[in-house]
Amino acid sequence: MSKPLSDHDRRKQISVRGLAGVENISQLKLDFNRHLHFTLVKDRNVATRRDYYFALANTVREHLIGRWIRTQQHYYEKDPKRVYYISLEFYMGRALQNTMVNLALENACDEAMYQLGLDMEELEDMEEDAGLGNGGLGRLAACFLDSMASLGLAAYGYGIRYEFGIFNQKIINGWQVEEADDWLRYGNPWEKARPEYMRPVNFYGRTEHHPDGVKWVDTQVVLALPYDTPIPGYRNNVVNTMRLWSAKAPCDFNLKDFNVGGYIQAVLDRNLAENISRVLYPNDNFFEGKELRLKQEYFVVSATLQDIIRRFKVSKFGSREIARTDFSKLPDKVAIQLNDTHPAMAIPELMRVLVDEEKLEWEKAWDICVRTCAYTNHTVLPEALERWPVDLFAYLLPRHLEIIYEINRRHLEVIAAKYPGDHDRLCRMSLIEEGGQKKINMAHLCIVGSHAVNGVAQIHSDILKATVYVPTINICHIRIGEDFIRDLDQLKGLCKYVNDEAFIRDVAKVKQVKYYLISTLQLQLCVTSNWALKTNAPLQFRFNSFNALSPTFPFMQAAPGYHTAKMIIRLITAIGEVVNNDPVVGDRLKVIFLENYRVTLAERVIPASDLSEQISTAGTEASGTGNMKFMLNGALTIGTMDGANVEMAEEAGMDNIFIFGMRVEDVDALDKKGYHAEEYYNRLPELKQAIDQIAGGFFSPKQPDLFKEIVNMLMHHDRFKVFADYEDYIKCQEKVNALYKNPKEWTKKVIYNIAGCGKFSSDRTIAQYAREIWGMEPTLEKLPAPDDKQ
Ligand code: D6G
């Protein structure tokens, strides 16, 4: 392991971070001490590390304020088209380091803390992750906010301020145990509550049809209280807003039948209303169909649309300048992007507002709605598709059900006219699924109600600018300048250094330094070998994992109710217990389950890994985002031809990625022929041995039957047909191992991978969304820097 850079070396590095001017540093120290004193009400005798973190966060935050206000003023003055990204998840992680990087303050803060005898990295570690997401969908939303600000788009993220984000995963006796993520316990220095913008959101009630329109009456009101978080662009003085809604019971909640006993109960019942924003549903790619979740979805949509329309009304086309708001201009001024079907209610809600409240004719309102909304699809897995029971809608959102029926009636009329007599097609394309319990197909609603639908695979992408990439950035910087930070395509320029010995050494060294970065995990790095040493029968599961050759670090979070996933975690930890204590295997292989995977942990382990396993059965992963992050950070990929792996292979070249297994066509053909796991089990002795060992309690000697159900699943009802890819996977791993023994050739492939990452920049993706979906032009112009002290 190479020696880590000392603090001094770190500061001396050629850096693309901001220059640390002396004035800057003394001002930061003054500001820091002021916050410690006045904001935290502490002195250095009693201050805790968390107090220091808060003092630093408040110091850095001050540099955002002027830029934030200026940016928002600029939007009101210039009145550009605004884009609203509505998402039930924003997986933001930590804000401090990202803010310092985007504002070019990192070096100065580092130096200021050093001079005060504090270690900035330790303080950064005190920040709670904002874990308001499950995985790729939520992290993509977070990256997109960063990119929209960096591209100077007038953009807003709208979501829910969950009091509890994604659960904290503990592994206890090998099992996953969930703990509540009380991320707001110590306060959140990055958010600003805006009670003055509170909005009412209605639920339940009934509809009344009058000659002058429909009224939704006798509803229960919950208030949506916004909290704003600044989203700084990369060194362009733009600061956009992420507005997250928190549920508040109105003061008269349940107090209508006031009496003394009722009063106490009514106050206690306020919790029921406020539960709407209590907790993020920990389901990734899975639809649970709970009433509270539908409430969350409508809650964010209703509050957000009120805000959008309020802002539109004070724009040029709003009521200030002309007698009546000209809603026909809404699609010219507003783009609404739906992150999956979760905010699909935006479509019927916009129709309700336009038709019932603003009194527009249906056709006109529909045209406006379709031209305003666009939808991103994230999955094709049937268990993930949202299909809400009509009965639940009738009860919770009666007016919206009527509107959806009307949208469907008109939609089916068009299809019937186009395909007369094609009843099957009508059933297939209907928004309402008949048969058994009637359900609303939210994906169909989104497709019909949007002018653009995109899948994530082709244009899915990820981001560079976080500092975890700094060592790579420095080396790339020396060779190709620093413009690639804004334009990731310029990484292609690295290709010409692929035979440059010094460059190869530098890149390899970066990985060594990264290994050190994960030393907090107390990992011992060992020499490569296949874990099959003992059993001679490697077994692999389909989960996100990466393998630093070796040790192997699987990570995975199972939804609390997902039994099979939890059993797989137990199996992994059980395999670890056996392998890690096996005297024959010794130190050559370790299986270390990474507990509580989250944005911050990803930032540490992704740059330190050599091999990324992206091994979903072809056709089941819409895109994947981890795959791109690994690639950008210099890991090679072993994977199937699925999701974004396909494009990664195109960009890096087939020679520079380890592709194995069935293609989508092979999977289809196998489905037709019939998949029988026992054929593979009988034919492949290594596979048989591994499965028999699992079934026979080799990894669970105290409970020999523990994993029988996993084996039963693999042998008899494995819809992912894992065994069909097994043989090819093992062969491919052998190629990986052979190449890994030749560091120079390995590193050359790493260079081709890094060089091929341009397509996966979220800046590039957002520029494409802006032009092709939102009709907006990204600008790389900077706003003038404000005087922070004003
Ligand atoms: C953010 C930033 C603040 C701005 C406020 C309201 O909190 O400067 O005044 O948003 O912005 P609008 O909702 O009126 O656009």
Side-chain angles (χ1 to χ4, degrees):
M1 197 191 304
S2 54
K3 195 177 153 292
L5 294 169
S6 68
D7 281 355
H8 179 73
D9 288 341
R10 207 147 42 84
R11 277 189 295 280
K12 280 274 169 77
Q13 278 184 87
I14 296 168
S15 176
V16 293
R17 299 183 291 183
L19 293 174
V22 176
E23 263 172 51
N24 219 351
I25 292 163
S26 30
Q27 186 62 46
L28 283 168
K29 288 197 299 192
L30 284 174
D31 293 344
F32 177 89
N33 284 326
R34 176 167 50 82
H35 277 295
L36 192 64
H37 189 85
F38 288 104
T39 313
L40 280 307
V41 196
K42 286 280 179 88
D43 62 39
R44 294 215 49 180
N45 295 322
V46 288
T48 64
R49 198 183 281 174
R50 181 167 287 106
D51 293 324
Y52 292 134
Y53 156 69
F54 275 108
L56 178 58
N58 278 292
T59 303
V60 170
R61 180 181 177 274
E62 281 188 350
H63 291 257
L64 284 168
I65 305 296
R67 292 176 171 87
W68 198 5
I69 291 174
R70 286 279 293 273
T71 305
Q72 302 307 313
Q73 283 170 350
H74 178 79
Y75 293 158
Y76 275 109
E77 281 157 21
K78 295 271 172 276
D79 197 24
K81 185 168 182 178
R82 288 164 158 102
V83 57
Y84 295 97
Y85 197 83
I86 312 183
S87 178
L88 270 281
E89 301 185 17
F90 286 97
Y91 205 165
M92 305 299 285
R94 291 176 174 166
L96 175 59
Q97 195 186 42
N98 186 57
T99 307
M100 291 188 300
V101 169
N102 282 12
L103 265 46
L105 279 174
E106 205 186 15
N107 274 5
C109 287
D110 197 5
E111 185 61 37
M113 293 304 104
Y114 181 77
Q115 291 182 13
L116 290 170
L118 297 165
D119 181 327
M120 196 166 75
E121 280 176 26
E122 275 179 17
L123 304 192
E124 283 170 3
D125 255 347
M126 297 312 297
E127 182 172 357
E128 297 277 340
D129 270 40
L132 308 186
N134 278 281
L137 176 146
R139 184 57 218 167
L140 192 72
C143 288
F144 279 3
L145 293 187
D146 180 293
S147 288
M148 290 189 285
S150 297
L151 292 173
L153 295 170
Y156 302 78
Y158 272 94
I160 296 180
R161 179 183 178 268
Y162 300 108
E163 196 178 321
F164 295 90
I166 189 68
F167 60 86
N168 282 318
Q169 180 193 49
K170 286 263 149 64
I171 301 293
I172 297 179
N173 297 328
W175 296 96
Q176 169 176 303
V177 175
E178 299 89 23
E179 281 183 359
D181 165 44
D182 197 358
W183 72 294
L184 294 168
R185 183 180 357 207
Y186 297 104
N188 174 2
W190 306 104
E191 67 181 12
K192 175 75 189 83
R194 293 281 186 211
E196 67 275 26
Y197 295 132
M198 206 135 63
R199 310 265 158 228
V201 176
N202 294 283
F203 294 100
Y204 307 106
R206 60 191 171 82
T207 60
E208 281 178 357
H209 290 250
H210 299 280
D212 63 335
V214 182
K215 288 202 174 99
W216 181 16
V217 296
D218 295 342
T219 55
Q220 228 183 64
V221 177
V222 177
L223 299 174
L225 165 62
Y227 285 78
D228 289 351
T229 300
I231 307 290
Y234 183 71
R235 317 242 165 128
N236 62 357
N237 300 318
V238 169
V239 180
N240 284 343
T241 302
M242 173 175 73
R243 179 162 282 181
L244 301 182
W245 302 100
S246 177
K248 284 295 281 178
C251 294
D252 63 352
F253 187 77
N254 274 3
L255 269 176
K256 308 244 159 65
D257 309 315
F258 180 79
N259 62 53
V260 175
Y263 163 71
I264 295 291
Q265 197 51 49
V267 174
L268 297 178
D269 285 350
R270 292 169 62 86
N271 270 335
L272 299 176
E274 296 176 358
N275 274 343
I276 291 179
S277 55
R278 195 78 68 206
V279 58
L280 165 77
Y281 274 90
N283 289 326
D284 201 11
N285 268 320
F286 183 75
F287 174 59
E288 207 181 340
K290 291 275 192 271
E291 178 178 334
L292 183 60
R293 169 69 178 199
L294 184 58
K295 277 190 173 173
Q296 291 184 336
E297 295 186 355
Y298 180 64
F299 175 73
V300 61
V301 154
S302 166
T304 302
L305 279 179
Q306 292 178 60
D307 221 23
I308 293 174
I309 288 169
R310 188 241 335 149
R311 221 176 265 121
F312 176 71
K313 282 188 170 174
V314 296
S315 77
K316 219 157 71 193
F317 300 100
S319 47
R320 271 197 191 162
E321 292 190 11
I322 43 180
R324 197 155 177 258
T325 307
D326 181 3
F327 278 99
S328 70
K329 295 289 186 296
L330 190 78
D332 301 332
K333 286 287 156 193
V334 170
I336 296 177
Q337 190 68 34
L338 307 175
N339 195 23
D340 212 332
T341 57
H342 313 153
M345 288 302 293
I347 292 164
E349 173 66 359
L350 184 53
M351 287 302 287
R352 191 189 66 76
V353 171
L354 294 179
V355 173
D356 294 355
E357 292 180 4
E358 302 292 344
K359 306 290 179 204
L360 266 68
E361 283 167 10
W362 180 280
E363 288 78 7
K364 199 160 182 201
W366 183 244
D367 174 66
I368 291 168
C369 176
V370 171
R371 288 199 290 129
T372 303
C373 297
Y375 155 60
T376 305
N377 172 278
H378 282 263
T379 180
V380 288
L381 293 181
E383 67 269 30
L385 299 178
E386 287 197 294
R387 293 146 72 242
W388 288 106
V390 162
D391 291 348
L392 177 57
F393 254 78
Y395 169 66
L396 188 66
L397 299 165
R399 178 57 185 144
H400 297 82
L401 182 61
E402 291 175 357
I403 290 172
I404 291 170
Y405 273 139
E406 181 60 15
I407 294 172
N408 196 37
R409 190 185 67 74
R410 290 164 183 258
H411 163 61
L412 294 181
E413 234 173 56
V414 174
I415 296 173
K418 215 166 161 190
Y419 304 97
D422 192 344
H423 185 71
D424 279 358
R425 185 184 294 264
L426 284 184
C427 289
R428 257 196 337 265
M429 296 180 75
S430 174
L431 307 190
I432 311 293
E433 294 178 3
E434 309 277 344
Q437 196 186 25
K438 271 199 200 178
K439 289 183 173 158
I440 305 170
N441 184 317
M442 303 305 271
H444 288 189
L445 174 63
C446 285
I447 293 166
V448 172
S450 303
H451 69 281
V453 178
N454 70 288
V456 276
Q458 284 159 38
I459 48 174
H460 219 182
S461 49
D462 203 12
I463 198 160
L464 169 70
K465 291 167 293 213
T467 45
V468 284
Y469 313 119
V470 161
T472 327
I473 289 177
N474 285 335
I475 287 175
C476 296
H477 174 212
I478 294 165
R479 296 302 195 290
I480 59 172
E482 67 176 72
D483 283 356
F484 74 93
I485 295 174
R486 284 200 177 81
D487 176 9
L488 209 58
D489 252 343
Q490 297 197 15
L491 284 173
K492 285 206 175 89
L494 292 177
C495 285
K496 62 174 181 286
Y497 299 104
V498 76
N499 291 315
D500 173 337
E501 298 281 337
F503 185 59
I504 292 172
R505 266 199 313 277
D506 284 348
V507 171
K509 226 186 280 164
V510 165
K511 298 302 290 190
Q512 290 294 310
V513 174
K514 301 296 175 69
Y515 287 153
Y516 173 75
L517 290 179
I518 54 171
S519 66
T520 46
L521 301 167
Q522 295 178 337
L523 301 175
Q524 291 250 309
L525 292 165
C526 330
V527 187
T528 178
S529 82
N530 191 321
W531 88 253
L533 269 178
K534 180 74 185 295
T535 64
N536 202 28
L539 176 91
Q540 300 291 333
F541 292 94
R542 310 228 159 202
F543 45 69
N544 282 333
S545 75
F546 69 98
N547 179 342
L549 284 168
S550 61
T552 295
F553 306 134
F555 53 79
M556 166 182 184
Q557 265 169 320
Y562 192 172
H563 176 72
T564 306
K566 286 186 150 178
M567 284 308 295
I568 291 174
I569 290 179
R570 182 66 193 95
L571 176 57
I572 295 166
T573 57
I575 291 173
E577 282 156 25
V578 172
V579 171
N580 298 347
N581 295 310
D582 189 310
V584 177
V585 175
D587 275 349
R588 283 171 296 179
L589 179 77
K590 297 285 173 200
V591 179
I592 297 154
F593 188 89
L594 295 184
E595 191 182 61
N596 207 20
Y597 185 63
R598 61 203 184 281
V599 175
T600 306
L601 184 56
E603 285 171 353
R604 293 220 171 106
V605 297
I606 291 176
S609 61
D610 286 314
L611 184 67
S612 152
E613 304 221 15
Q614 305 293 335
I615 57 181
S616 51
T617 305
T620 60
E621 172 60 272
S623 170
T625 48
N627 44 5
M628 305 164 189
K629 295 182 224 274
F630 280 112
M631 180 184 184
L632 178 64
N633 281 276
L636 298 187
T637 300
I638 178 166
T640 47
M641 269 301 193
D642 197 22
N645 293 354
V646 177
E647 288 152 78
M648 285 162 49
E650 266 170 34
E651 299 297 311
M654 268 308 241
D655 288 346
N656 299 313
I657 185 167
F658 299 99
I659 294 290
F660 72 94
M662 296 180 285
R663 309 304 198 244
V664 174
E665 316 79 78
D666 304 324
V667 177
D668 291 345
L670 184 58
D671 276 333
K672 287 211 183 82
K673 189 176 129 238
Y675 167 70
H676 303 290
E678 66 273 19
E679 282 174 19
Y680 304 92
Y681 170 84
N682 290 328
R683 186 163 60 76
L684 302 166
E686 286 182 354
L687 175 64
K688 181 171 186 307
Q689 189 190 355
I691 293 299
D692 289 349
Q693 284 184 333
I694 294 169
F698 180 83
F699 297 107
S700 52
K702 289 189 194 137
Q703 278 174 282
D705 287 347
L706 188 60
F707 301 122
K708 280 232 158 83
E709 57 177 283
I710 292 189
V711 170
N712 189 39
M713 181 270 289
L714 289 169
M715 293 294 292
H716 304 297
H717 37 89
D718 174 15
R719 44 191 283 255
F720 294 105
K721 303 178 265 291
V722 171
F723 290 0
D725 275 345
Y726 173 84
E727 197 179 7
D728 203 19
Y729 172 72
I730 299 302
K731 278 194 202 138
C732 200
Q733 278 286 13
E734 280 159 13
K735 281 192 223 156
V736 171
N737 287 347
L739 184 72
Y740 195 69
K741 289 181 185 136
N742 184 342
K744 193 167 145 192
E745 290 307 309
W746 179 279
T747 306
K748 282 186 184 179
K749 290 194 195 298
V750 167
I751 294 168
Y752 280 120
N753 272 269
I754 296 172
C757 272
K759 184 174 185 189
F760 305 117
S761 144
S762 56
D763 289 355
R764 189 205 60 79
T765 307
I766 284 297
Q768 190 178 355
Y769 271 53
R771 293 190 184 107
E772 294 177 9
I773 302 177
W774 306 327
M776 294 161 82
E777 194 52 42
T779 140
L780 289 176
E781 272 169 44
K782 286 187 187 176
L783 290 181
D787 177 352
D788 285 326
K789 293 292 136 202
Q790 265 178 8

